[in-house]
C-alpha cells in the first residue's frame, strides 16, 4: 500500500473546558449538563441536527421499564431520572412523546411493550432548545479526525469541516461517538467483537388503515404475518438476503433468521395523546446487514444493502398485509442504526453474567439499568434484576483527560448485545454523568479518574439523577 505523508499547521480555533464528540443522546446530555455545571463546553457533530441514532436512525423508542416505577420491583421511583425526565416532560408538552406511565397502563404496542414512542422531528427541536438554553458552543457538519495527546493525557481534538482542519484544546474530552472513535484515536484500550450485532435500517410507512393494520403489531397477528412473508418468499416477491433480526440480543430462532421483514410498529388509535400529530404511520426495520461499523467499506455496503429491496418490501405490505393496501414509504433513516462496535476498556467492565444475572450494586453508581426482552411482562427481579452502572465504566483504564458515554462504555460483548445499556434512555443518563464529571474535573483541575466521587454523586442527585446506592 502506498502512503502519502502530509505535514500541515493546524490552527487552534477554540480552547474550552469540555469538548464533547458526538451529539447523540449521550453527547447532548453530556454537553448540556457540563455547561449547566459551569464548564465552557463545545459540542461537535457530523450531522446537521441533534439526536444521533435517536433521531437520525429513527431509534425513537424510550424504554418505560426504566422511566416509570414498576410494581414488580417494588419501585418507589423510576430507576432513571434527571436529564431524561426533563426531556420526556418537554417532549410530552410539545406532542413529541407518549406518557410512559400511560403506555404502561395501556400497552399500545404489544410486540414492543417496554417502549414509548417519540416524534423524531420534535425531538430534534427540543434537544436543540436544551443545548442553546445551556449556552453550549456548537459545531455541526464537523468530523472528528484525531486527538491531541500529551503525556498520556488527551488535551483536545482535531476536527475537519468546510472551513478546513482545525484544533480544539480542552481540559476534558468526552467520547460520545458511539463507536469509541476518540478512544481509539487517542490510543486508549478498547475491545471489539468479531461478531457484533447487525446494523439495521428503519423506515416509516404512512397511509395506513390503523384499525386493520394494528393486528399485525400484536403477538396474535405475528404468526399470520410470518405466513404472508413465507408466501412472498416462495413467489420470489421478496428476497431472503441479509436477513435475521436479533431482537434484544436474544438468539435468533430459525424462523426469525429467515425473516427479511418484521411487522411495523403501529400504535393503537385510541392511545394517541391529544397533541400527537403523526397519525396513520408505522415504524419498522426494513433491512439488516452483518458487518463492522468501524470499517468504511462495510458501512457503505450496509447502507446500500439495506435500501436495495425497499420497493419490494413496500409492495409486499400493500399486497399481503391488511390495512397496508394504500401505504407508502414516507421516509427512511438518514443512516443505518448501529448496535455495537468498539467498546472502551475502563477501570471496570460490566458483564452480562454478573450485573444482569446478579443485579450487582456499586457505590459509584451513576445510573441504573435492567435488560430482558421487548415484553414488559418479562421485567421481574428474577428475570431482569436491576443493576448499577458505575462511574468507572466511563473512565479509561489508563488514559487521562478522557471520558466515554453512550454505548461505547466499558461493557462486555454479551451485555453490549442486550437491550441495555445501549438503549436511548440509558445513553442520556450516561451522558449526564459524563458531562457533570467533566465539568467538575475541569473546575477542580484534576483528571476525571481523580474526581471526588462523593462530589459527583451529590451533584447528580441534586440534579435529579437516581444514583442511590442500594447495597
Amino acid at each position: 500500500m502506498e502512503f502519502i505523508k502530509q505535514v500541515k499547521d493546524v490552527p487552534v480555533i477554540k480552547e474550552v473546558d469540555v469538548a464533547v464528540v458526538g451529539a447523540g443522546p449521550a453527547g447532548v446530555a453530556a454537553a448540556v449538563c457540563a455547561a449547566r455545571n459551569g464548564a465552557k463546553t463545545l459540542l461537535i457533530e457530523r450531522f446537521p441536527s441533534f439526536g444521533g441514532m435517536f433521531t437520525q436512525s429513527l431509534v425513537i423508542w424510550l424504554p418505560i421499564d426504566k422511566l416509570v416505577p414498576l410494581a414488580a420491583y417494588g419501585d418507589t421511583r423510576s430507576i432513571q431520572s434527571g436529564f431524561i425526565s426533563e426531556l420526556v416532560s418537554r417532549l410530552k408538552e410539545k406532542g413529541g412523546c407518549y406518557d410512559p406511565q400511560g403506555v404502561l397502563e395501556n400497552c399500545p404496542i404489544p410486540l414492543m411493550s417496554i417502549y414509548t414512542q417519540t416524534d423524531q422531528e420534535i425531538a430534534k427541536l427540543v434537544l436543540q432548545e436544551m443545548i442553546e438554553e445551556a449556552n453550549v458552543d456548537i459545531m455541526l457538519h464537523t468530523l472528528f479526525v484525531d486527538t491531541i495527546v500529551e503525556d498520556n493525557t488527551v488535551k483536545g481534538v482535531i476536527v475537519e469541516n468546510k472551513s478546513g482542519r482545525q484544533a480544539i484544546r480542552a481540559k476534558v474530552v468526552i467520547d460520545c461517538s458511539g463507536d469509541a472513535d476518540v478512544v481509539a484515536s487517542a490510543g486508549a484500550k478498547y475491545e471489539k467483537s468479531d461478531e457484533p450485532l447487525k446494523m439495521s435500517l428503519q423506515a416509516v410507512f404512512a397511509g395506513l388503515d390503523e384499525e386493520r393494520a394494528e393486528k399485525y403489531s400484536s403477538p396474535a397477528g405475528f404468526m399470520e404475518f410470518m405466513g404472508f412473508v413465507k408466501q412472498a418468499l416462495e413467489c420470489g416477491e421478496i428476497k431472503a438476503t441479509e436477513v435475521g433480526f436479533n431482537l434484544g440480543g436474544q438468539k435468533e430462532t430459525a424462523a426469525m433468521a429467515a425473516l427479511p421483514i418484521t411487522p411495523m410498529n403501529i400504535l393503537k388509535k385510541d392511545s394517541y395523546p391529544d397533541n400527537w400529530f403523526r397519525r396513520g404511520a408505522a415504524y419498522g426495520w426494513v433491512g439488516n446487514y452483518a458487518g463492522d461499523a468501524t470499517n468504511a467499506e462495510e458501512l457503505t455496503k450496509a447502507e446500500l444493502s439495506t435500501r436495495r429491496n425497499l420497493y419490494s418490501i413496500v409492495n409486499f405490505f400493500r399486497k399481503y398485509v391488511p390495512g397496508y393496501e394504500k401505504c407508502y414509504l414516507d421516509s427512511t433513516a438518514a443512516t443505518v442504526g448501529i448496535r455495537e462496535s468498539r467498546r472502551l476498556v475502563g477501570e471496570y467492565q460490566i458483564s452480562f453474567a454478573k450485573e444482569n444475572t446478579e443485579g450487582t450494586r456499586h457505590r459509584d453508581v451513576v445510573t441504573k439499568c435492567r435488560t430482558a426482552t421487548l415484553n414488559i411482562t418479562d421485567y421481574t427481579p428474577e428475570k431482569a434484576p436491576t443493576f448499577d452502572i458505575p462511574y468507572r465504566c466511563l473512565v479509561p483504564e489508563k488514559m487521562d483527560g478522557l471520558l466515554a458515554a453512550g454505548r461505547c462504555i466499558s461493557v462486555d460483548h454479551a451485555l453490549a448485545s442486550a437491550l441495555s445499556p445501549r438503549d436511548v434512555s440509558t445513553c442520556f443518563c450516561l451522558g449526564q454523568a459524563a458531562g457533570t464529571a467533566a465539568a467538575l474535573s475541569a473546575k477542580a483541575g484534576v483528571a476525571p479518574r481523580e474526581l471526588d466521587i462523593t462530589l459527583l454523586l451529590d451533584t447528580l442527585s441534586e440534579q435529579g439523577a437516581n444514583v442511590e446506592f442500594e447495597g
Side-chain angles (χ1 to χ4, degrees):
M1 179 184 293
E2 181 184 4
F3 291 89
I4 297 175
K5 187 173 183 179
Q6 277 190 324
V7 179
K8 289 184 177 182
D9 290 330
V10 180
V12 177
I13 62 164
K14 297 177 186 288
E15 293 190 15
V16 298
D17 296 322
V18 177
V20 181
V21 176
V28 169
V32 171
C33 293
R36 287 177 176 177
N37 282 283
K40 183 179 180 181
T41 304
L42 172 66
L43 180 58
I44 300 161
E45 171 57 35
R46 65 186 173 116
F47 286 117
S49 57
F50 305 102
M53 292 288 123
F54 182 40
T55 55
Q56 308 294 345
S57 296
L58 302 180
V59 185
I60 58 168
W61 312 98
L62 296 176
I64 62 174
D65 66 286
K66 302 171 185 66
L67 301 180
V68 299
L70 295 185
Y73 292 83
D75 291 340
T76 57
R77 62 181 293 194
S78 61
I79 64 169
Q80 292 183 350
S81 55
F83 182 94
I84 183 62
S85 303
E86 178 186 350
L87 174 62
V88 169
S89 178
R90 294 175 71 145
L91 286 171
K92 283 166 53 181
E93 182 183 351
K94 287 183 166 57
C97 181
Y98 281 67
D99 177 63
Q101 185 65 44
V103 173
L104 180 64
E105 295 169 359
N106 192 34
C107 192
I109 318 166
L111 273 182
M112 296 181 67
S113 59
I114 67 163
Y115 290 119
T116 183
Q117 185 178 356
T118 63
D119 182 299
Q120 68 272 14
E121 298 304 325
I122 294 177
K124 291 175 187 177
L125 297 175
V126 170
L127 293 175
Q128 179 175 324
E129 288 175 357
M130 297 175 79
I131 291 165
E132 291 183 321
E133 288 169 8
N135 293 315
V136 173
D137 195 3
I138 304 162
M139 293 181 74
L140 298 176
H141 296 284
T142 299
L143 295 171
F144 161 81
V145 294
D146 206 353
T147 48
I148 303 168
V149 180
E150 301 170 5
D151 299 325
N152 202 49
T153 301
V154 174
K155 297 287 188 176
V157 294
I158 306 295
V159 299
E160 192 151 8
N161 52 35
K162 292 289 188 180
S163 301
R165 185 159 292 203
Q166 304 162 326
I168 293 107
R169 290 278 187 183
K171 295 176 182 176
V172 181
V173 175
I174 308 177
D175 187 342
C176 298
S177 65
D179 298 316
D181 290 337
V182 183
V183 168
S185 172
K189 191 175 180 181
Y190 67 87
E191 292 182 348
K192 188 169 68 171
S193 172
D194 292 332
E195 295 183 359
L197 288 176
K198 298 183 179 88
M199 297 173 267
S200 298
L201 180 69
Q202 283 261 31
V204 183
F205 285 9
L208 280 65
D209 179 338
E210 295 160 320
E211 292 184 357
R212 294 167 61 229
E214 176 192 319
K215 171 183 177 181
Y216 303 98
S217 293
S218 70
F222 183 69
M223 295 307 296
E224 187 175 348
F225 180 88
M226 289 186 66
F228 298 150
V229 174
K230 184 178 179 182
Q231 291 178 52
L233 284 168
E234 291 174 349
C235 295
E237 294 169 319
I238 55 176
K239 298 178 181 179
T241 56
E242 305 297 353
V243 300
F245 287 88
N246 191 328
L247 299 179
Q250 303 168 77
K251 187 175 181 180
E252 296 169 0
T253 63
M256 285 304 294
L259 186 63
I261 312 170
T262 57
M264 304 297 280
N265 300 308
I266 184 170
L267 297 125
K268 289 183 179 179
K269 193 172 184 179
D270 60 3
S271 69
Y272 288 117
D274 291 339
N275 62 353
W276 182 269
F277 296 104
R278 196 177 292 275
R279 301 171 188 261
Y283 292 67
W285 292 312
V286 292
N288 229 21
Y289 185 84
D292 180 358
T294 65
N295 181 295
E297 184 176 353
E298 288 291 297
L299 272 176
T300 300
K301 290 179 180 178
E303 298 286 3
L304 296 175
S305 171
T306 54
R307 294 178 193 276
R308 190 170 290 131
N309 298 316
L310 276 171
Y311 282 121
S312 60
I313 290 172
V314 174
N315 288 332
F316 159 79
F317 274 92
R318 285 175 174 166
K319 178 177 179 179
Y320 286 96
V321 187
Y324 287 83
E325 292 89 350
K326 297 181 179 180
C327 78
Y328 60 91
L329 181 63
D330 177 79
S331 57
T332 59
T335 179
V336 289
I338 298 169
R339 296 180 173 89
E340 182 191 3
S341 57
R342 302 187 196 98
R343 292 168 279 107
L344 171 74
V345 173
E347 291 190 324
Y348 182 87
Q349 185 182 71
I350 321 176
S351 72
F352 187 92
K354 188 174 183 181
E355 268 75 15
N356 199 59
T357 302
E358 301 175 11
T360 307
R361 303 299 192 173
H362 299 275
R363 292 193 179 277
D364 59 338
V365 52
V366 291
T367 192
K368 301 170 187 288
C369 228
R370 293 170 179 146
T371 187
T373 68
L374 298 175
N375 194 320
I376 195 65
T377 60
D378 285 332
Y379 282 79
T380 66
E382 295 75 27
K383 293 182 180 179
T386 305
F387 62 90
D388 294 342
I389 299 180
Y391 176 59
R392 287 163 291 157
C393 288
L394 284 61
V395 181
E397 190 176 51
K398 295 180 181 179
M399 184 72 64
D400 284 325
L402 177 64
L403 289 169
R407 61 179 168 83
C408 61
I409 65 167
S410 185
V411 299
D412 70 0
H413 168 63
L415 194 57
S417 301
L419 286 175
S420 58
R422 61 181 168 84
D423 61 53
V424 172
S425 69
T426 305
C427 288
F428 277 117
C429 293
L430 291 168
Q432 178 175 9
T436 303
L440 295 175
S441 297
K443 184 177 181 180
V446 299
R449 75 176 72 254
E450 297 170 355
L451 179 64
D452 181 347
I453 192 64
T454 301
L455 174 62
L456 172 60
L457 297 182
D458 287 348
T459 305
L460 288 171
S461 181
E462 289 169 4
Q463 296 170 3
N466 184 351
V467 292
E468 182 180 353
F469 174 63
E470 300 175 8

